[in-house]
Amino acid sequence: MKVILLGTAAGGGCPQWNCACRLCTSGLVPRSQDCVAISADGAGWYLLNCSPDIRSQILGTPALRAGPGPREIPLRGVLLTDAELDHSLGLLMLREAGGLPVWAPEAVLSALSPFRSIVDGYGGWEWLSAVNLPGLRVDALPVSDKRPKYVPAGSDGPWVVAYRIEDLTTGGVLVYAPCLRSWPPGFDTLVSGADLVLLDGTFYAPDEMAGVGGPDQLAMGHLPITASLSRIAARRGPRWALTHVNNTNPVLDPTSAEHAAVLAAGALLPPDGTTYVL
């Protein structure tokens, strides 16, 4: 299984257009919004989430470019972990595809009804809750009941899932969990035996957003890295990589103590464009 990290930042990317925090103005290498491409054969590709940056992410990734025919594309579908806009707005950018299958929990598919009605007008899209990918086994674990702000209160979930994806030929296993509100029951089993875990690295500390006037991290649906490091350090089997990193997160600074602490715990902070083969 080939895995390409198209984007590794949280919503808004880094730098974020409406932010002048230290990290956004420090000249760090930019990161686009979280999105991953996977393939069992190197020819047909599936997206894990579909960020608003998807056009530039595709054009910047040779394996995802159109061809050899004038309208041939290698994209075969999209798996959504949730209905957050930074994970689903890119579907509108793919409307010219003429129709793709999109897999997501039932609550997510329902919340995205306005998107569905728009892109359905451009082709025969499929909206599915049961995932079936050729050459890959996909298991989903509900990990959070945090619904998007635009969804009315009281709507039933689950709202957020993590995916465990196994290559049926090589046995390679990827776990994709960019949004964890906690370390939920069943998550240890999900990551057991995994070769690569792409884990929620949105915020480093519980009070990080206070500096820019935001809510606390748990209210935003993200377990801070400080609560994950000991669990990562105790589970040396998988290769851990943090993704969905917010523009306020000090781990983005490679000279910071927080960056060093992540590496010491056995996790990586890969940049956009990083490729793995499992």
Side-chain angles (χ1 to χ4, degrees), residues 19-44:
C19 185
C21 72
R22 178 182 67 84
L23 292 168
C24 282
T25 57
S26 63
L28 294 172
V29 175
R31 291 175 182 251
S32 61
Q33 295 170 90
D34 184 81
C35 186
V36 175
I38 62 170
S39 176
D41 58 10

Side-chain angles (χ1 to χ4, degrees), residues 131-193:
V131 184
N132 183 17
L133 307 185
L136 301 170
R137 173 180 171 176
V138 180
D139 295 299
L141 175 72
V143 295
S144 174
D145 60 357
K146 197 270 180 182
R147 57 184 174 78
K149 288 183 178 180
Y150 65 86
V151 174
S155 302
D156 292 332
W159 283 106
V160 186
V161 298
Y163 288 115
R164 179 186 172 98
I165 304 168
E166 179 181 358
D167 187 306
L168 295 178
T169 299
T170 67
V173 174
L174 165 71
V175 172
Y176 181 58
C179 297
L180 289 181
R181 198 173 198 170
S182 63
W183 198 277
F187 194 68
D188 283 332
T189 300
L190 194 77
V191 303
S192 178

Side-chain angles (χ1 to χ4, degrees), residues 2-278:
K2 296 178 176 64
V3 179
I4 303 176
L5 309 190
L6 303 179
T8 56
C14 185
Q16 189 168 299
W17 73 269
N18 64 333
C19 185
C21 72
R22 178 182 67 84
L23 292 168
C24 282
T25 57
S26 63
L28 294 172
V29 175
R31 291 175 182 251
S32 61
Q33 295 170 90
D34 184 81
C35 186
V36 175
I38 62 170
S39 176
D41 58 10
W45 291 83
Y46 297 87
L47 299 178
L48 305 182
N49 288 335
C50 194
S51 88
D53 299 321
I54 191 62
R55 178 183 178 276
S56 60
Q57 290 170 340
I58 288 175
L59 294 179
T61 307
L64 301 183
R65 296 288 297 267
R71 290 290 183 174
E72 288 184 46
I73 60 171
L75 292 183
R76 299 291 181 263
V78 181
L79 285 72
L80 300 178
T81 60
D82 53 69
E84 297 291 348
L85 294 180
D86 54 307
H87 293 161
S88 56
L89 270 176
L91 293 173
L92 299 179
M93 304 300 179
L94 298 183
R95 63 193 181 279
E96 298 97 341
L100 288 171
V102 178
W103 293 274
E106 290 286 357
V108 171
L109 294 177
S110 178
L112 293 177
S113 293
F115 284 18
R116 293 168 58 179
S117 64
I118 292 172
V119 297
D120 279 342
Y122 291 84
W125 289 65
E126 295 180 86
W127 306 91
L128 308 163
S129 57
V131 184
N132 183 17
L133 307 185
L136 301 170
R137 173 180 171 176
V138 180
D139 295 299
L141 175 72
V143 295
S144 174
D145 60 357
K146 197 270 180 182
R147 57 184 174 78
K149 288 183 178 180
Y150 65 86
V151 174
S155 302
D156 292 332
W159 283 106
V160 186
V161 298
Y163 288 115
R164 179 186 172 98
I165 304 168
E166 179 181 358
D167 187 306
L168 295 178
T169 299
T170 67
V173 174
L174 165 71
V175 172
Y176 181 58
C179 297
L180 289 181
R181 198 173 198 170
S182 63
W183 198 277
F187 194 68
D188 283 332
T189 300
L190 194 77
V191 303
S192 178
D195 296 284
L196 174 65
V197 180
L198 297 175
L199 188 69
D200 188 340
T202 310
F203 302 112
Y204 186 78
D207 58 351
E208 185 175 310
M209 288 296 286
V212 291
D216 68 74
Q217 281 60 257
L218 292 181
M220 297 180 71
H222 298 286
L223 187 71
I225 292 174
T226 52
S228 301
L229 286 184
S230 62
R231 295 178 182 271
I232 291 172
R235 295 164 178 80
R236 294 287 188 174
R239 181 167 28 175
W240 299 87
L242 300 183
T243 190
H244 203 270
V245 185
N246 200 55
N247 62 295
T248 58
N249 193 328
V251 301
L252 290 173
D253 179 356
T255 67
S256 69
E258 292 85 355
H259 186 102
V262 168
L263 299 184
L268 304 172
L269 288 159
D272 292 9
T274 300
T275 298
Y276 298 96
V277 179
L278 309 179

